[in-house]
Amino acid sequence: MSNGPECGTHSRTPLTWPEFAATLLVVSKSENFAARLHVDLRRQASAICAVGRRTR
């Protein structure tokens, strides 16, 4: 995944649907897989933490 200036903390305008779709097309399969895996792992970690908070 890119670590260029677009990953900074500055806000950008939201992408329109055609821009978003075009952006998805230029992302490689490996980058897409890595991003989806990252989101999945964060969801799992969040779920585990939620269970831990409920059992205390």
Side-chain angles (χ1 to χ4, degrees):
M1 291 197 283
S2 172
N3 289 330
E6 68 276 2
C7 293
T9 57
H10 66 286
S11 64
R12 295 190 302 174
T13 58
L15 294 174
T16 63
W17 174 248
E19 291 170 328
F20 178 71
T23 301
L24 288 178
L25 291 175
V26 298
V27 174
S28 72
K29 287 183 181 181
S30 62
E31 286 178 317
N32 186 22
F33 176 74
R36 291 177 63 180
L37 180 62
H38 177 76
V39 169
D40 187 50
L41 292 174
R42 289 192 59 158
R43 286 182 181 155
Q44 289 179 25
S46 179
I48 290 168
C49 290
V51 169
R53 285 191 296 268
R54 283 185 271 173
T55 59
R56 289 184 183 194

